[in-house]
Amino acid sequence: MRNFSLACLTASLLLASCTTGARIDVTVPQAPGAMLQVRQLDLNSYKLLDSVRTDAAGRASYSVKLLQGQPEFVYLFYKDTKIASLLLQEGEKAVVSADTLGHYQVSGSPESEALAGVEAAAARFGAAMTAATEPAEIARIFIDHYRESVKYVMTNKGSLTVIPVLFEQVDAINPLFNQYTDAIIFRQAADTLAKLYPESRYVKALEKETVRRENALKLKGLVGSARQLGYPDITLPGIDGQKVSLSEVETKAVLVHFWDSSDAAQKMFNLDVLLPLWNKWHDRGLSIYAIDVNPDKTTWGSVVSAQQLPWTNVNGGRANAQAIALYNVNSVPATFLLAGGTLSTSVLGGSASLDKELARIL
């Protein structure tokens, strides 16, 4: 019996040495006597840890168990609203002041304070992209946020707060970091964090994504070494949701056409100008790669279907910003011509000038 008790005591001490904790003290003045949910990030979903009830002043406390050397992303919810995001380290006491709308302040946890800044920047970006209407404005907002995000990752590689930055989405389909060369940024962050938090499941997930991106970059390099492109490539989702690259459209001539499916005149341009050109020149080697800059994919899909547009139609939602920036599009419609795999410098205007240039090439 004595040996059994000693073994149990030893096991308990070992478990205690591996398990630490952090404390959350939260005040939600608008929610006295309310139930708050404490959730933990489980890679791509939330896992409910517990529920705590606030007192008459809207105050509550909760202790989060942490494995040693493994910080955790923990979130507080009031009903279905996330009211605070925390990145807790062992031994911390995070003091949170929040409201029921999702605004909060946190102290006592430096990583949680940094995470609040990351989420605020993402929220500002999303609001600005939603409000923007002009292609040039959308592109500027996207590029500015992307550059600031790269800067944040490169200057905070030892912080787990770079993980939500690296996995940020522009929309439900497109990530903010969607260039092949972003694999280099992922690798630098993954290697740094692996040294600091080798057992963290978040770091392991980042490593897995980094390897996937590195493999995609290698494949892109193999394709690129076989064929040099004379134009900026674009990869965006088509009507069926599958991504289509401009470089996959291999014909003698390709019209790269930026348009807005919400504009009546541009919808008529499809029927009055592009469709006659397609019918006349497609069999001789003409293709069209049409990028709709309208982020409302429902409207775009309806127009493409109603007009029965036979060419390649793509729309990446807010991720269109990269394509807009690559071709320096300041207004739509805007049409570019790829001839023999090279971006033409010819000035393209209406139907007559397009037809004349296609006659020369085809």
Side-chain angles (χ1 to χ4, degrees), residues 257 259-274 299-300 302-304 306-307 309 311 333:
H257 180 65
W259 67 296
D260 185 345
S261 61
S262 66
D263 184 270
Q266 294 181 49
K267 287 189 285 186
M268 291 308 298
F269 187 88
N270 289 334
L271 301 178
D272 295 342
V273 177
L274 293 185
T299 298
W300 165 64
S302 298
V303 173
V304 171
Q307 294 189 330
L309 304 180
W311 47 78

Short mmCIF file of all heavy atoms in Angstrom, two decimals, residues 257 259-274 299-300 302-304 306-307 309 311 333:
data_model
loop_
_atom_site.label_atom_id
_atom_site.label_comp_id
_atom_site.label_asym_id
_atom_site.label_seq_id
_atom_site.Cartn_x
_atom_site.Cartn_y
_atom_site.Cartn_z
N HIS A 257 -9.70 41.06 -69.53
CA HIS A 257 -10.74 42.09 -69.45
C HIS A 257 -11.22 42.28 -68.01
O HIS A 257 -11.73 41.34 -67.39
CB HIS A 257 -11.91 41.70 -70.35
CG HIS A 257 -13.03 42.70 -70.35
ND1 HIS A 257 -12.87 43.98 -70.85
CD2 HIS A 257 -14.32 42.63 -69.92
CE1 HIS A 257 -14.02 44.64 -70.73
NE2 HIS A 257 -14.91 43.85 -70.16
N TRP A 259 -13.89 44.13 -65.59
CA TRP A 259 -15.20 44.74 -65.74
C TRP A 259 -15.95 44.69 -64.42
O TRP A 259 -15.48 44.10 -63.44
CB TRP A 259 -15.98 44.04 -66.84
CG TRP A 259 -16.37 42.61 -66.53
CD1 TRP A 259 -15.51 41.56 -66.32
CD2 TRP A 259 -17.70 42.08 -66.40
NE1 TRP A 259 -16.21 40.41 -66.07
CE2 TRP A 259 -17.56 40.69 -66.10
CE3 TRP A 259 -18.96 42.62 -66.50
CZ2 TRP A 259 -18.66 39.86 -65.91
CZ3 TRP A 259 -20.06 41.78 -66.32
CH2 TRP A 259 -19.91 40.42 -66.02
N ASP A 260 -17.13 45.31 -64.40
CA ASP A 260 -17.95 45.37 -63.20
C ASP A 260 -19.35 44.87 -63.54
O ASP A 260 -20.09 45.51 -64.29
CB ASP A 260 -18.01 46.82 -62.68
CG ASP A 260 -18.75 46.95 -61.36
OD1 ASP A 260 -19.46 46.00 -60.97
OD2 ASP A 260 -18.64 48.02 -60.73
N SER A 261 -19.72 43.74 -62.97
CA SER A 261 -21.01 43.12 -63.31
C SER A 261 -22.21 43.89 -62.78
O SER A 261 -23.35 43.59 -63.14
CB SER A 261 -21.06 41.69 -62.76
OG SER A 261 -20.93 41.67 -61.36
N SER A 262 -21.97 44.89 -61.92
CA SER A 262 -23.09 45.69 -61.40
C SER A 262 -23.39 46.90 -62.29
O SER A 262 -24.35 47.62 -62.04
CB SER A 262 -22.78 46.17 -59.97
OG SER A 262 -21.70 47.08 -59.96
N ASP A 263 -22.54 47.12 -63.32
CA ASP A 263 -22.70 48.28 -64.19
C ASP A 263 -23.42 47.86 -65.48
O ASP A 263 -22.94 46.98 -66.20
CB ASP A 263 -21.34 48.88 -64.51
CG ASP A 263 -21.44 50.15 -65.33
OD1 ASP A 263 -21.44 50.05 -66.57
OD2 ASP A 263 -21.53 51.25 -64.72
N ALA A 264 -24.54 48.51 -65.78
CA ALA A 264 -25.35 48.13 -66.95
C ALA A 264 -24.59 48.30 -68.26
O ALA A 264 -24.66 47.45 -69.15
CB ALA A 264 -26.63 48.97 -66.98
N ALA A 265 -23.82 49.39 -68.38
CA ALA A 265 -23.08 49.64 -69.62
C ALA A 265 -22.02 48.58 -69.86
O ALA A 265 -21.79 48.15 -71.00
CB ALA A 265 -22.44 51.03 -69.57
N GLN A 266 -21.39 48.12 -68.78
CA GLN A 266 -20.35 47.12 -68.93
C GLN A 266 -20.94 45.74 -69.22
O GLN A 266 -20.31 44.92 -69.89
CB GLN A 266 -19.47 47.09 -67.67
CG GLN A 266 -18.68 48.39 -67.50
CD GLN A 266 -17.79 48.39 -66.28
OE1 GLN A 266 -17.04 47.45 -66.07
NE2 GLN A 266 -17.86 49.44 -65.48
N LYS A 267 -22.13 45.50 -68.74
CA LYS A 267 -22.82 44.26 -69.11
C LYS A 267 -23.15 44.26 -70.60
O LYS A 267 -23.03 43.23 -71.28
CB LYS A 267 -24.08 44.08 -68.26
CG LYS A 267 -23.80 43.71 -66.81
CD LYS A 267 -25.06 43.34 -66.06
CE LYS A 267 -25.89 44.55 -65.71
NZ LYS A 267 -27.05 44.19 -64.84
N MET A 268 -23.55 45.42 -71.10
CA MET A 268 -23.84 45.52 -72.53
C MET A 268 -22.57 45.39 -73.37
O MET A 268 -22.61 44.90 -74.50
CB MET A 268 -24.54 46.85 -72.83
CG MET A 268 -25.95 46.94 -72.27
SD MET A 268 -26.99 45.53 -72.75
CE MET A 268 -27.00 45.71 -74.54
N PHE A 269 -21.43 45.83 -72.81
CA PHE A 269 -20.15 45.72 -73.51
C PHE A 269 -19.85 44.25 -73.80
O PHE A 269 -19.29 43.91 -74.86
CB PHE A 269 -19.05 46.35 -72.66
CG PHE A 269 -17.71 46.45 -73.35
CD1 PHE A 269 -17.38 47.55 -74.12
CD2 PHE A 269 -16.77 45.43 -73.23
CE1 PHE A 269 -16.15 47.65 -74.75
CE2 PHE A 269 -15.54 45.51 -73.85
CZ PHE A 269 -15.23 46.63 -74.62
N ASN A 270 -20.22 43.37 -72.86
CA ASN A 270 -20.02 41.94 -73.09
C ASN A 270 -20.73 41.48 -74.36
O ASN A 270 -20.16 40.74 -75.17
CB ASN A 270 -20.56 41.14 -71.90
CG ASN A 270 -19.72 41.29 -70.65
OD1 ASN A 270 -18.53 41.57 -70.72
ND2 ASN A 270 -20.34 41.09 -69.50
N LEU A 271 -21.98 41.92 -74.51
CA LEU A 271 -22.80 41.46 -75.63
C LEU A 271 -22.52 42.21 -76.92
O LEU A 271 -22.55 41.63 -78.02
CB LEU A 271 -24.28 41.59 -75.26
CG LEU A 271 -24.74 40.82 -74.01
CD1 LEU A 271 -26.21 41.08 -73.74
CD2 LEU A 271 -24.47 39.33 -74.18
N ASP A 272 -22.25 43.51 -76.80
CA ASP A 272 -22.09 44.34 -78.00
C ASP A 272 -20.68 44.30 -78.59
O ASP A 272 -20.50 44.52 -79.79
CB ASP A 272 -22.46 45.80 -77.69
CG ASP A 272 -23.93 45.96 -77.34
OD1 ASP A 272 -24.72 45.05 -77.67
OD2 ASP A 272 -24.28 46.97 -76.72
N VAL A 273 -19.68 44.07 -77.73
CA VAL A 273 -18.29 44.13 -78.19
C VAL A 273 -17.58 42.78 -78.05
O VAL A 273 -17.07 42.23 -79.04
CB VAL A 273 -17.50 45.23 -77.43
CG1 VAL A 273 -16.03 45.23 -77.87
CG2 VAL A 273 -18.13 46.59 -77.65
N LEU A 274 -17.53 42.25 -76.83
CA LEU A 274 -16.73 41.05 -76.61
C LEU A 274 -17.31 39.82 -77.30
O LEU A 274 -16.57 39.03 -77.90
CB LEU A 274 -16.59 40.78 -75.11
CG LEU A 274 -15.77 41.79 -74.30
CD1 LEU A 274 -15.62 41.33 -72.86
CD2 LEU A 274 -14.38 42.00 -74.93
N THR A 299 -24.28 38.39 -57.85
CA THR A 299 -24.61 39.21 -59.01
C THR A 299 -23.79 38.78 -60.22
O THR A 299 -24.31 38.63 -61.33
CB THR A 299 -24.34 40.69 -58.70
OG1 THR A 299 -25.19 41.11 -57.64
CG2 THR A 299 -24.61 41.57 -59.92
N TRP A 300 -22.50 38.58 -60.00
CA TRP A 300 -21.60 38.16 -61.09
C TRP A 300 -22.06 36.84 -61.70
O TRP A 300 -22.18 36.72 -62.93
CB TRP A 300 -20.18 38.04 -60.53
CG TRP A 300 -19.21 37.29 -61.39
CD1 TRP A 300 -18.77 37.63 -62.62
CD2 TRP A 300 -18.57 36.04 -61.06
NE1 TRP A 300 -17.87 36.69 -63.09
CE2 TRP A 300 -17.73 35.72 -62.16
CE3 TRP A 300 -18.60 35.20 -59.96
CZ2 TRP A 300 -16.94 34.56 -62.17
CZ3 TRP A 300 -17.82 34.05 -59.96
CH2 TRP A 300 -17.00 33.74 -61.06
N SER A 302 -24.98 35.50 -61.71
CA SER A 302 -26.25 35.67 -62.41
C SER A 302 -26.04 36.28 -63.79
O SER A 302 -26.66 35.85 -64.77
CB SER A 302 -27.20 36.55 -61.59
OG SER A 302 -27.50 35.94 -60.35
N VAL A 303 -25.15 37.28 -63.86
CA VAL A 303 -24.90 37.94 -65.14
C VAL A 303 -24.22 36.99 -66.12
O VAL A 303 -24.61 36.89 -67.29
CB VAL A 303 -24.04 39.21 -64.94
CG1 VAL A 303 -23.62 39.80 -66.28
CG2 VAL A 303 -24.80 40.24 -64.12
N VAL A 304 -23.20 36.29 -65.65
CA VAL A 304 -22.48 35.35 -66.52
C VAL A 304 -23.43 34.28 -67.05
O VAL A 304 -23.40 33.91 -68.24
CB VAL A 304 -21.30 34.70 -65.77
CG1 VAL A 304 -20.69 33.56 -66.59
CG2 VAL A 304 -20.24 35.76 -65.46
N ALA A 306 -26.86 34.48 -67.23
CA ALA A 306 -27.91 35.07 -68.07
C ALA A 306 -27.38 35.43 -69.46
O ALA A 306 -28.07 35.24 -70.46
CB ALA A 306 -28.49 36.30 -67.39
N GLN A 307 -26.14 35.92 -69.51
CA GLN A 307 -25.57 36.32 -70.79
C GLN A 307 -24.90 35.15 -71.52
O GLN A 307 -24.48 35.30 -72.66
CB GLN A 307 -24.56 37.45 -70.59
CG GLN A 307 -25.19 38.76 -70.11
CD GLN A 307 -24.21 39.91 -70.11
OE1 GLN A 307 -23.00 39.75 -69.94
NE2 GLN A 307 -24.74 41.11 -70.31
N LEU A 309 -21.96 33.79 -71.16
CA LEU A 309 -20.62 34.20 -71.61
C LEU A 309 -19.74 32.96 -71.74
O LEU A 309 -19.49 32.26 -70.76
CB LEU A 309 -20.02 35.19 -70.61
CG LEU A 309 -20.89 36.44 -70.34
CD1 LEU A 309 -20.20 37.35 -69.33
CD2 LEU A 309 -21.18 37.19 -71.64
N TRP A 311 -16.49 32.50 -72.40
CA TRP A 311 -15.06 32.55 -72.10
C TRP A 311 -14.80 32.30 -70.62
O TRP A 311 -15.71 32.02 -69.84
CB TRP A 311 -14.49 33.90 -72.54
CG TRP A 311 -15.31 35.09 -72.11
CD1 TRP A 311 -15.37 35.67 -70.88
CD2 TRP A 311 -16.23 35.83 -72.93
NE1 TRP A 311 -16.23 36.72 -70.87
CE2 TRP A 311 -16.78 36.86 -72.12
CE3 TRP A 311 -16.62 35.74 -74.27
CZ2 TRP A 311 -17.70 37.78 -72.60
CZ3 TRP A 311 -17.55 36.67 -74.76
CH2 TRP A 311 -18.08 37.67 -73.92
N PRO A 333 -14.43 49.65 -67.57
CA PRO A 333 -13.71 48.48 -68.07
C PRO A 333 -12.29 48.81 -68.49
O PRO A 333 -11.99 49.94 -68.88
CB PRO A 333 -14.56 48.06 -69.28
CG PRO A 333 -15.17 49.33 -69.77
CD PRO A 333 -15.46 50.13 -68.54
#
